Amino acid sequence: MNTDSKNLSKSHAKSHGETDDDDIDLMALLLVLLRGWKVVVFFAVLGLLIGILYSRYVNPTFKSDALIQIEENAQGIAALGESISELVGSEASKAETEAELIRSRMILEPVVNLLHLRIQLADPNVGNIDKIKNDRTDTQLNTAEGVSLNAEDGQVQVSQFNVSQAYLNQTFTLTRTATGFVLSNGFDDFKGQIGQAHKFKGVEGQIHITVNDLPAEGYPINISKQSVKATTDAMNSVLSVVEKGKQTGIIQMSMTGDNQQQVTSVLNEIVLSYITQNQSRGSEETTKTLTFMETQIPTLKEKLESSEATFNEFRTKYGTIDVGKEAELLLGENSQIDAQLNELKLKKAELTTYYTEEHPLVIQINEQLQVLNSRKQQIDNTIAGLPEIQREFLKLSEDTAINREIYLTLLKNYEQLKIVKAGQIGFARVIDLPISTFKTIAPKKLQIMILAMLLGTMLGALLVLLKSLLRKVVKDPERLEVKTGIPVIATIPRSPLLSRLNKNKKTGARMLAHIDHNSLSYEAIKSLRTSLTFGMPKEDSAVQSAKVILITGESPGVGKSFISANLSEVFAQLNKKVLVIDADMRLGELHKMFSMSQYNGLADYLMQDNNQLTQIDNLQKDNIQKDNSQKDSDASNLGIANFIHPTTMDHIDFIPRGKHPYNPASLLMKDEFGQLMAALKSQYDYIIIDSPPVLAASDAMVLGQYADKVLMVTRYDDSIEGQLVYAVKQMNKSNIQVDGIILNDVQQGLMSKYSYHYSYAYGNKQ
């Protein structure tokens, strides 16, 4: 064995360095994806299939829309003038606030009660397969008369279903019987008549139900009563209320669901519920004002009548008194002075909070107060001089006038508000009521299928990349040489014809020379023969000694037997006598390549009695004095020939693995195997040994002691790079130098970055 190649390869790895170990080769990543195209396509098709099934499984979704305008101010009847609208306060409302109000239970609960939305019906006989098969399933329809659902064997109609708190959100089963129906919750069975209202008393409370129709006898239907909160929450989850645009005051309401008629009906009732509440809220202030006026008018009327009666009584008693002009002027001036005094006192009180009595402004106000008080005193003195009857007359006439003015004003406003209320509207008005379009908005089947296929493709690509990152498979011969320090002496392309034949399990293993002798694979085997022929160590030609080639691999399934059998065939073409030994006494299958039996082979020979085997040693000592014919005769007499079987091909003999021993490695380590090899080397030109995998057994390390060349077979795009490197290290630890690596089953094409390692067949292609 040549030990210089190891040092040369190590220096080669060192000279090239590790500069590209951590580089990200985008082209390599792309090629990884292309090589894993089957996985990517599989997941893409799987995603497409899931998308198709999902689009059929999900019920179609329908949508209804409505528009409402929110006005900033409530308007009365303009023809009545501004004075009326001033009497009723205006309420400004933002669209966002109203949107939240629409979603409240105050608006939704009346709709829930009107349409019996808390009652839920379901058909338990409809399974997942049925949903996919039918593309859509029937859903319940809620109306003011009740709830209905179309089933396979008929229709369900329930107009009333009220339960106690304990039975809320609990599923019951309705089943038609010969005499009526049965309502069951798993514990209690309640029997009733169809078309009649029933009141049942259960363990956890009362149940009120009216069933108008059911499917065929024995067909079960699930029924449940939801809580108000659960129902309104479910409505809010499919209800959208948003302002259309910015500060437009236009609210767009939309609702989605599985039934177009149901969605339109529910949304329509929500709009009407909101408008009714809005109108009630808009006239609330006017109503309160009218109520207050109605309580005050009788009181004011009574007060006016009382003041008029007193005044009339005074006039009757004293007669008509004409109050002079002077008295009227004095009274008017006195009233003005009182108003001025009150105003000045307020100003003084305000100033004294900031200034003292010595401040000029405070002093000025004090002076004005003094003047006004002086004038008021003069007027009082003048009035005091008037006759007592005149003063009483003035007082009574003034009270009567004031009471009359208040009463008439209130009565006038009351009548005006009644007119306003009759024509008053809310600040919200309906622009568009919801209508049924019967156009599905979901699922968007094409989009779902495309998206599912893309997701499947991405998942497949991710798995291929992860597999490539976690499982570094053998691909690049140059990388192998750098990693292992061992040259790749041959790359064996895959034979398409042989691959097709091997797919048929009934067909046995085939030799390339028999079925594909013009292929690139066969030419690569010949190139390997040439490399080995000129790479063998020089020995004395006077003494015949076979060249021993050990073929092993890092793991099972790399193609050792394929390489061993076909390599022996191309050596035999040179008229060389070749012996093939299947040394894998555990699972060797080399006998299938030659269509022979596995028995009466190497294991059987090594397990013979020691007395027979010692005769081989005596034969070996006498070999120098005997000719070849005599050697063959002696070997046959001692039993070696009984384990060597000629094949159907010229110049090729074969030793199968024999029966399975319990200690294959121990048999190989005995002296008997060394004696056997010494005897066989004198009879053949080449001995090719097919060894068990290095990582599976230690046999290859024992057999390597007898080999002139040790070759490691690895499979392209299948073997693990780390395992191959570890196998080479294990051989080196046993002082066995691996002389070369054979890269088997290389596939050529655009997907392979390293397709230039192929050989080219030169010859007849017919």
Side-chain angles (χ1 to χ4, degrees):
M1 292 178 292
N2 189 1
T3 59
D4 294 337
S5 61
K6 182 178 180 180
N7 297 329
L8 288 173
S9 60
K10 285 184 177 180
S11 63
H12 173 76
K14 187 175 180 180
S15 63
H16 282 77
E18 300 145 357
T19 57
D20 58 346
D21 284 350
D22 298 327
D23 291 343
I24 299 177
D25 191 343
L26 295 179
M27 182 58 69
L29 290 178
L30 179 60
L31 292 172
V32 166
L33 293 176
L34 292 176
R35 282 191 294 269
W37 68 270
K38 292 182 180 179
V39 176
V40 176
V41 170
F42 170 77
F43 277 95
V45 174
L46 180 63
L48 178 61
L49 179 62
I50 293 174
I52 294 174
L53 295 178
Y54 176 78
S55 62
R56 292 185 62 85
Y57 176 82
V58 179
N59 255 353
T61 301
F62 300 92
K63 183 179 180 181
S64 283
D65 296 302
L67 287 179
I68 294 177
Q69 181 183 11
I70 305 298
E71 298 176 348
E72 292 297 326
N73 298 310
Q75 300 294 333
I77 301 177
L80 295 177
E82 296 182 357
S83 59
I84 297 178
S85 61
E86 290 174 355
L87 295 173
V88 183
S90 61
E91 182 180 350
S93 174
K94 299 293 184 181
E96 293 86 353
T97 305
E98 295 303 309
E100 292 302 318
L101 180 63
I102 293 172
R103 301 171 68 95
S104 67
R105 285 197 297 272
M106 179 180 68
I107 302 298
L108 298 182
E109 190 169 352
V111 180
V112 170
N113 296 330
L114 175 65
L115 298 180
H116 309 282
L117 294 177
R118 295 174 62 188
I119 302 176
Q120 296 295 313
L121 298 176
D123 188 352
N125 300 286
V126 178
N128 296 332
I129 302 299
D130 297 323
K131 293 180 180 180
I132 296 174
K133 186 187 301 183
N134 299 328
D135 197 14
R136 65 164 297 172
T137 55
D138 292 315
T139 57
Q140 71 179 44
L141 179 64
N142 294 70
T143 62
E145 290 74 25
V147 186
S148 62
L149 173 66
N150 290 326
E152 183 178 354
D153 290 347
Q155 188 182 55
V156 188
Q157 289 183 351
V158 178
S159 59
Q160 174 187 294
F161 184 57
N162 297 317
V163 298
S164 60
Q165 184 70 28
Y167 286 129
L168 287 178
N169 302 315
Q170 190 175 124
T171 301
F172 291 80
T173 302
L174 271 175
T175 308
R176 179 189 282 270
T177 62
T179 58
F181 70 88
V182 174
L183 177 68
S184 174
N185 64 348
F187 300 99
D188 298 319
D189 292 336
F190 307 103
K191 297 180 180 180
Q193 299 295 322
I194 293 178
Q196 298 181 11
H198 291 279
K199 180 179 179 181
F200 301 120
K201 186 174 182 180
V203 177
E204 298 181 349
Q206 293 185 345
I207 301 173
H208 298 263
I209 187 170
T210 302
V211 180
N212 299 321
D213 196 7
L214 281 174
E217 185 176 340
Y219 195 94
I221 294 294
N222 291 341
I223 183 172
S224 63
K225 181 84 170 187
Q226 288 184 333
S227 63
V228 175
K229 186 177 187 309
T231 307
T232 54
D233 288 347
M235 292 175 66
N236 273 318
S237 65
V238 295
L239 177 64
S240 173
V241 185
V242 295
E243 185 177 10
K244 195 171 184 180
K246 262 194 173 182
Q247 296 182 350
T248 59
I250 304 293
I251 292 180
Q252 183 177 34
M253 300 172 58
S254 60
M255 177 172 274
T256 58
D258 299 337
N259 189 310
Q260 178 70 83
Q261 187 177 352
Q262 171 93 343
V263 170
T264 304
S265 175
V266 173
L267 185 59
N268 186 72
E269 292 299 332
I270 292 174
V271 171
L272 296 179
S273 175
Y274 169 70
I275 293 300
T276 301
Q277 186 276 337
N278 182 266
Q279 290 178 347
S280 174
R281 182 168 48 143
S283 62
E284 183 177 358
E285 188 172 357
T286 305
T287 303
K288 288 183 177 180
T289 304
L290 288 173
T291 303
F292 173 75
M293 287 183 174
E294 288 173 353
T295 60
Q296 293 299 312
I297 286 175
T299 303
L300 292 176
K301 183 178 181 181
E302 182 180 351
K303 189 175 180 181
L304 174 60
E305 290 175 350
S306 176
S307 63
E308 286 180 343
T310 303
F311 182 60
N312 290 333
E313 183 181 351
F314 178 83
R315 291 178 62 186
T316 302
K317 182 178 179 181
Y318 295 102
T320 303
I321 299 174
D322 186 11
V323 180
K325 206 70 174 175
E326 180 181 1
E328 292 181 7
L329 293 174
L330 290 175
L331 290 175
E333 184 179 0
N334 193 30
S335 299
Q336 293 178 0
I337 290 174
D338 287 337
Q340 292 176 1
L341 285 172
N342 290 333
E343 184 179 357
L344 289 173
K345 287 178 181 179
L346 290 175
K347 288 184 178 180
K348 180 180 179 182
E350 183 179 357
L351 290 173
T352 52
T353 58
Y354 302 98
Y355 308 110
T356 62
E357 292 289 334
E358 288 78 20
H359 194 275
L361 292 176
V362 178
I363 295 173
Q364 184 179 1
I365 289 176
N366 287 334
E367 291 176 352
Q368 292 177 359
L369 287 173
Q370 186 178 1
V371 172
L372 291 173
N373 285 326
S374 176
R375 177 57 182 165
K376 180 176 176 60
Q377 187 62 39
Q378 293 177 2
I379 293 174
D380 290 341
N381 293 335
T382 304
I383 292 175
L386 292 174
E388 184 66 26
I389 295 176
Q390 289 184 335
R391 290 200 306 271
E392 186 67 19
F393 177 84
L394 291 175
K395 180 178 178 301
L396 292 175
S397 64
E398 185 177 352
D399 290 342
T400 302
I402 292 174
N403 290 333
R404 183 180 292 110
E405 182 67 24
I406 294 174
Y407 174 75
L408 293 176
T409 301
L410 186 62
L411 188 62
K412 175 184 176 183
N413 291 336
Y414 175 74
E415 295 299 330
Q416 288 178 334
L417 282 177
K418 286 173 64 177
I419 299 173
V420 170
K421 183 180 179 181
Q424 195 170 38
I425 60 174
F427 54 81
R429 66 172 181 146
V430 178
I431 299 177
D432 289 331
L433 279 172
I435 59 174
S436 297
T437 61
F438 295 98
K439 182 179 180 181
T440 59
I441 62 168
K444 298 185 182 299
K445 296 187 177 182
L446 181 60
Q447 293 183 8
I448 290 176
M449 289 185 286
I450 293 175
L451 182 60
M453 186 173 64
L454 290 177
L455 290 176
T457 303
M458 292 172 62
L459 179 60
L462 181 62
L463 290 177
V464 169
L465 292 176
L466 286 176
K467 180 182 177 182
S468 176
L469 291 174
L470 299 177
R471 186 177 181 267
K472 277 285 185 181
V473 293
V474 171
K475 289 189 178 73
D476 184 8
E478 296 173 356
R479 182 180 174 88
L480 287 183
E481 293 178 351
V482 172
K483 289 286 186 181
T484 62
I486 308 299
V488 177
I489 62 174
T491 57
I492 311 299
R494 172 180 292 185
S495 170
L497 179 58
L498 186 61
S499 298
R500 288 195 297 270
L501 292 174
N502 287 339
K503 290 180 180 179
N504 186 1
K505 296 182 179 180
K506 296 181 180 180
T507 305
R510 305 291 185 91
M511 300 285 285
L512 286 173
H514 296 160
I515 61 171
D516 203 7
H517 60 277
N518 285 326
S519 66
L520 296 177
S521 305
Y522 195 50
E523 292 300 324
I525 295 291
K526 292 178 181 179
S527 298
L528 174 61
R529 176 194 64 184
T530 303
S531 175
L532 293 174
T533 300
F534 293 105
M536 288 293 181
K538 300 291 185 180
E539 293 186 2
D540 186 5
S541 59
V543 179
Q544 180 179 357
S545 180
K547 307 297 188 294
V548 180
I549 302 172
L550 176 66
I551 297 179
T552 184
E554 85 283 352
S555 61
V558 296
K560 300 183 286 79
S561 300
F562 171 79
I563 298 296
S564 301
N566 285 282
L567 185 62
S568 65
E569 191 273 331
V570 295
F571 270 120
Q573 292 180 8
L574 303 177
N575 294 325
K576 301 293 183 180
K577 195 171 183 180
V578 181
L579 174 65
V580 183
I581 301 176
D582 189 354
D584 188 353
M585 291 179 281
R586 295 175 179 82
L587 300 172
E589 295 186 352
L590 193 56
H591 59 279
K592 295 181 180 179
M593 296 293 299
F594 298 105
S595 300
M596 300 175 67
S597 172
Q598 73 178 63
Y599 299 105
N600 197 23
L602 179 62
D604 302 301
Y605 175 82
L606 295 178
M607 288 190 294
Q608 290 186 112
D609 294 338
N610 291 333
N611 293 332
Q612 287 181 293
L613 295 175
T614 53
Q615 298 182 46
I616 298 177
D617 186 42
N618 297 331
L619 175 64
Q620 185 178 4
K621 294 177 182 178
D622 297 338
N623 276 341
I624 301 175
Q625 290 82 18
K626 297 180 179 180
D627 57 16
N628 289 338
S629 62
Q630 185 64 33
K631 295 174 191 176
D632 294 341
S633 175
D634 292 340
S636 175
N637 292 334
L638 291 176
I640 297 176
N642 294 331
F643 303 96
I644 301 175
H645 307 281
T647 65
T648 57
M649 291 176 284
D650 295 338
H651 310 300
I652 300 178
D653 291 338
F654 175 57
I655 298 180
R657 66 183 175 105
K659 66 179 181 180
H660 183 266
Y662 71 91
N663 56 349
S666 301
L667 292 177
L668 295 175
M669 294 180 67
K670 290 182 178 181
D671 295 337
E672 286 81 353
F673 182 74
Q675 296 168 3
L676 174 64
M677 289 301 299
L680 294 175
K681 289 176 69 174
S682 63
Q683 302 178 39
Y684 293 94
D685 297 306
Y686 290 95
I687 298 176
I688 298 176
I689 303 176
D690 184 6
S691 165
V694 175
L695 300 182
S698 60
D699 300 19
M701 302 171 191
V702 178
L703 295 169
Q705 308 293 333
Y706 303 96
D708 298 299
K709 286 285 185 180
V710 178
L711 305 181
M712 184 78 70
V713 180
T714 187
R715 185 176 289 274
Y716 176 84
D717 204 22
D718 184 73
S719 297
I720 307 300
E721 202 174 73
Q723 291 182 357
L724 178 62
V725 174
Y726 183 73
V728 171
K729 290 181 179 178
Q730 291 297 103
M731 297 290 283
N732 292 339
K733 288 179 182 179
S734 301
N735 294 322
I736 304 298
Q737 171 61 43
V738 178
D739 298 290
I741 295 175
I742 300 174
L743 186 56
N744 187 30
D745 200 31
V746 179
Q747 302 174 53
Q748 186 181 22
L750 294 176
M751 298 181 185
S752 177
K753 181 181 178 182
Y754 311 108
S755 59
Y756 57 82
H757 287 282
Y758 266 83
S759 301
Y760 290 89
Y762 182 77
N764 183 18
K765 291 293 181 182
Q766 297 179 355

